[in-house]
């Protein structure tokens, strides 16, 4: 397993991050077994959120860490300030509330990586950065970051932090995958386009990609004629992505890998630090991710997969 460093986090962060948006109390043994298997391959970082599974995701993680006595080994990414039925909640009070609840559910005194789940561009970045720094100073949070923010807002926040002696955002978690979306998977979500990736390369800011394998688009289960998954059709069905899938298959054949492993490698071979959030729930899926994370792609292969060149030289 490879790791990256994220400023503000005291531990190295495994480049595969275990998704936990299926952790429920009534399937605790499955979740615990999945986490045991993930740790066995060298993984240590988990992705959760205040809203996942109605709060049960964080509660299951908290129970697991307490039973195993392994909190110090784990890197917990959790997120707060998601909107509710009344609209955006990226406020000082909402951040404090969600963080407090998450800490209690996780049975811990600190969060390694704390992210804001969504943005509200009506709120000045100064207010948000000030609020988060209070929690850093209190020892409740290590690194702060964001999910589904534009790079322009991140830059503005970090410029404010730098000019005022405060801690800025040291990671971002948008969607990044070989498949390029037609539209956001959920309203208000952000995918990393070429401009965003160019900014991450300049800044070398770590990117933690959700839906890193395009929600199964590269598994081979889907074709232009199979349209039973309405969300996948809406978001990822386009001519460019079918060509990317075919190229991933061809490159995989050359490397002894599957298309979905090549798609994972695409995320992990960017010219800036990346982690891939994975949804592996079986031993086979976890092994596939582990093997895919070890694949090295050249810049020429990356460009070819992304349709930037017609052929590999």
């Amino acid at each position: 397993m490879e790791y990256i460093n994220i400023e503000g986090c005291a531990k190295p962060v495994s480049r595969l991050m275990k998704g936990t948006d299926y952790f429920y109390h009534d399937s605790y043994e499955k979740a615990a077994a999945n986490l045991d298997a993930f740790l066995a391959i060298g993984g240590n970082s988990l992705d959760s959120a205040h809203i996942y599974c109605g709060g049960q995701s964080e509660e299951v993680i908290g129970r697991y860490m307490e039973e195993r006595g392994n909190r110090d080994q784990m890197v917990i990414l959790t997120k707060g300030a998601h909107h509710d039925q009344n609209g955006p909640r990226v406020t000082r009070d909402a951040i404090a509330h969600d963080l407090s609840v998450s800490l209690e559910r996780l049975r811990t005194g600190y969060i390694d990586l704390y992210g804001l789940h969504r943005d509200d561009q009506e709120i000045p970045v100064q207010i948000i950065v000030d609020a988060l720094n209070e929690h850093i100073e209190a020892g409740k949070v290590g690194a702060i970051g964001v999910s589904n923010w534009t790079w322009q807002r991140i830059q503005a926040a970090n410029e404010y932090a730098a000019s005022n002696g405060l801690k800025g955002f040291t990671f971002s978690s948008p969607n990044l995958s070989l498949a390029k979306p037609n539209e956001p998977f959920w309203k208000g979500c952000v995918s990393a386009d070429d401009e965003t990736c160019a900014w991450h390369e300049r800044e070398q800011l770590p990117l933690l990609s959700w839906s890193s394998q395009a929600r199964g688009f590269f598994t081979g289960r889907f074709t232009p004629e199979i349209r039973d998954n309405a969300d996948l059709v809406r978001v990822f069905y386009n001519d460019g992505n079918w060509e990317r899938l075919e190229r991933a298959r061809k490159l995989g054949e050359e490397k002894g890998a599957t298309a979905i492993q090549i798609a994972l490698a695409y995320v992990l071979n960017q010219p800036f630090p990346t982690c891939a959030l994975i949804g592996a729930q079986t031993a086979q899926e976890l092994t596939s991710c582990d093997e895919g994370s070890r694949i090295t792609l050249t810049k020429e292969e990356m460009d070819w997969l992304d349709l930037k060149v017609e052929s590999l030289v």
Side-chain angles (χ1 to χ4, degrees):
M1 181 70 65
E2 293 185 345
Y3 304 84
I4 66 170
N5 293 315
I6 296 179
E7 184 180 345
C9 181
K11 290 165 270 188
V13 180
S14 62
R15 299 195 69 197
L16 293 180
M17 303 191 79
K18 183 74 182 70
T20 66
D21 197 11
Y22 66 96
F23 282 13
Y24 291 94
H25 295 302
D26 61 6
S27 57
Y28 174 77
E29 295 306 325
K30 174 185 176 180
N34 285 176
L35 290 174
D36 286 342
F38 181 61
L39 267 65
I41 64 166
N44 71 343
S45 55
L46 309 182
D47 167 63
S48 190
H50 181 267
I51 66 165
Y52 284 177
C53 305
Q56 292 186 54
S57 170
E58 292 179 326
E59 290 171 346
V60 166
I61 295 168
R63 175 184 170 185
Y64 173 83
M65 293 190 299
E66 189 171 90
E67 289 185 356
R68 297 295 194 272
N70 62 3
R71 173 66 184 97
D72 290 344
Q73 300 173 35
M74 310 296 286
V75 174
I76 305 300
L77 162 63
T78 199
K79 304 175 290 292
H82 195 281
H83 60 257
D84 61 15
Q85 67 275 12
N86 298 314
R89 299 176 55 256
V90 191
T91 65
R92 179 185 297 272
D93 288 347
I95 292 168
H97 171 271
D98 289 3
L99 175 58
S100 176
V101 172
S102 291
L103 288 167
E104 183 176 354
R105 290 172 178 165
L106 289 162
R107 308 186 190 187
T108 186
Y110 70 98
I111 306 294
D112 304 275
L113 307 172
Y114 193 71
L116 300 181
H117 211 157
R118 295 293 181 89
D119 191 13
D120 179 1
Q121 298 199 19
E122 298 299 316
I123 306 295
V125 293
Q126 297 93 316
I127 293 175
I128 297 169
V129 171
D130 287 348
L132 287 168
N133 270 260
E134 292 177 5
H135 300 299
I136 294 175
E137 292 170 8
K140 298 177 181 178
V141 172
I144 55 172
V146 292
S147 182
N148 301 302
W149 278 43
T150 65
W151 68 265
Q152 293 93 337
R153 280 276 284 179
I154 301 171
Q155 180 170 293
N158 283 355
E159 288 173 352
Y160 167 75
S163 63
N164 288 274
L166 299 171
K167 302 292 187 182
F169 296 130
T170 56
F171 67 90
S172 177
S173 183
N175 164 244
L176 170 65
S177 72
L178 179 56
K180 308 307 173 187
N182 302 314
E183 60 182 71
F185 208 90
W186 296 283
K187 184 179 179 181
C189 287
V190 171
S191 290
D193 56 15
D194 287 345
E195 189 176 277
T196 301
C197 289
W199 180 81
H200 274 272
E201 184 174 1
R202 290 195 302 272
E203 299 294 320
Q204 289 297 300
L205 187 84
L207 186 154
L208 319 180
S209 170
W210 57 264
S211 288
S212 59
Q213 294 169 297
R215 305 185 75 80
F217 181 82
F218 293 93
T219 59
R221 295 197 300 266
F222 302 99
T223 69
E225 295 73 35
I226 298 175
R227 308 180 68 85
D228 56 350
N229 187 318
D231 282 331
L232 216 65
V233 171
R234 173 177 60 87
V235 178
F236 291 124
Y237 275 38
N238 61 56
D239 290 342
N241 285 338
W242 295 123
E243 175 63 19
R244 292 183 180 93
L245 172 57
E246 183 58 28
R247 293 189 181 193
R249 284 176 178 151
K250 289 179 180 177
L251 189 58
E253 289 174 1
E254 295 178 15
K255 293 180 177 289
T258 62
I260 198 166
Q261 288 174 325
I262 295 296
L264 180 64
Y266 170 85
V267 172
L268 296 176
N269 278 269
Q270 295 293 324
F272 48 86
T274 56
C275 294
L277 279 55
I278 59 169
Q281 299 186 34
T282 67
Q284 181 180 7
E285 290 172 345
L286 185 59
T287 297
S288 173
C289 291
D290 186 29
E291 293 172 350
S293 72
R294 302 172 190 273
I295 296 172
T296 298
L297 300 176
T298 66
K299 183 180 186 304
E300 290 74 21
E301 289 169 336
M302 293 280 286
D303 287 345
W304 182 71
L305 285 169
D306 213 7
L307 312 185
K308 293 180 180 178
V309 294
E310 288 298 318
S311 62
L312 285 171
V313 177

